[in-house]
Amino acid sequence: NFERYAFISLAMSIFIELNYFFRSAADGPSIKTSRCYYFFHVVIIFVFSEFRKYFNRHKVGGRYFVDLPLGSSQYHIVLTITKEQAGAEIYINDNKELFKTLLGKKDVIEKELGFSMDWQLLPEKKASCIVATIPADYTDVEGSKEIFKWYCEKAVGIKKTFPKYAE
């Protein structure tokens, strides 16, 4: 266990240093923002062992979101980060019936998850979303560790719970 915590501590230190470096780089704001997004998601996906047990390696780009599979082409997890909030959501592609099926099991799902989510049918759109968010700022280096922990807990909880109820 000591090696695991030492590795996480080292990875967090690297993230913090890179975040400071890229935020102070001479590039324009969109380049700096993309780099911050990139390193934020790299730490989550490649460092946290609990996360790696449930999700294979994924390509990470300089976007504000990362898609993760849930075992079906009908829906997937999306992790988002902005200057205002971090989010973990289930994005349901063009299947309102699946959303309604899950919505009918909302209380059981949220009880198993241990947290509530915002259930968005989005009738004017093809997709539907089920979202959990917390206030967060990707440029807040000191608060990043709590956000990483939150992401891991939510994504792993969603991965363990939702596929059981989507059948």
Side-chain angles (χ1 to χ4, degrees):
N1 260 355
F2 175 75
E3 291 88 11
R4 178 177 172 230
Y5 291 113
F7 179 71
I8 290 172
S9 178
L10 174 64
M12 289 298 301
S13 298
I14 291 169
F15 169 76
I16 289 168
E17 292 304 316
L18 288 170
N19 194 338
Y20 280 133
F21 171 77
F22 286 125
R23 284 193 296 151
S24 64
D27 296 325
S30 65
I31 299 294
K32 286 191 266 186
T33 300
S34 291
R35 288 177 178 163
C36 286
Y37 289 152
Y38 177 81
F39 284 105
F40 199 91
H41 292 299
V42 163
V43 170
I44 293 168
I45 290 173
F46 296 107
V47 173
F48 286 87
S49 61
E50 181 70 9
F51 197 86
R52 288 194 323 251
K53 282 194 310 193
Y54 294 96
F55 301 101
N56 294 326
R57 295 179 140 205
H58 293 283
K59 183 178 179 183
V60 178
R63 304 169 304 196
Y64 71 95
F65 65 92
V66 171
D67 293 330
L68 301 169
L70 262 175
S72 169
S73 61
Q74 296 292 312
Y75 54 94
H76 60 275
I77 297 173
V78 180
L79 300 179
T80 60
I81 186 73
T82 66
K83 285 192 75 129
E84 292 84 32
Q85 67 183 17
E89 71 181 64
I90 295 94
Y91 182 89
I92 302 172
N93 303 317
D94 198 14
N95 191 339
K96 300 295 185 187
E97 289 306 312
L98 175 59
F99 179 86
K100 290 174 185 173
T101 298
L102 292 168
L103 184 59
K105 302 171 185 175
K106 175 183 175 184
D107 294 336
V108 175
I109 291 170
E110 289 182 346
K111 183 177 181 182
E112 187 172 330
L113 286 170
F115 58 91
S116 61
M117 299 184 80
D118 180 19
W119 297 68
Q120 303 171 0
L121 178 61
L122 305 174
E124 70 285 353
K125 307 268 187 189
K126 283 186 167 187
S128 301
C129 299
I130 306 167
V131 185
T133 60
I134 59 166
D137 179 355
Y138 68 86
T139 64
D140 176 18
V141 175
E142 289 76 27
S144 295
K145 190 170 187 173
E146 289 305 311
I147 299 168
F148 293 140
K149 182 179 174 191
W150 184 87
Y151 267 142
C152 291
E153 289 172 357
K154 300 309 177 233
V156 170
I158 289 168
K159 175 85 173 190
K160 288 178 176 179
T161 304
F162 270 86
K164 293 188 281 189
Y165 297 100
E167 299 170 349

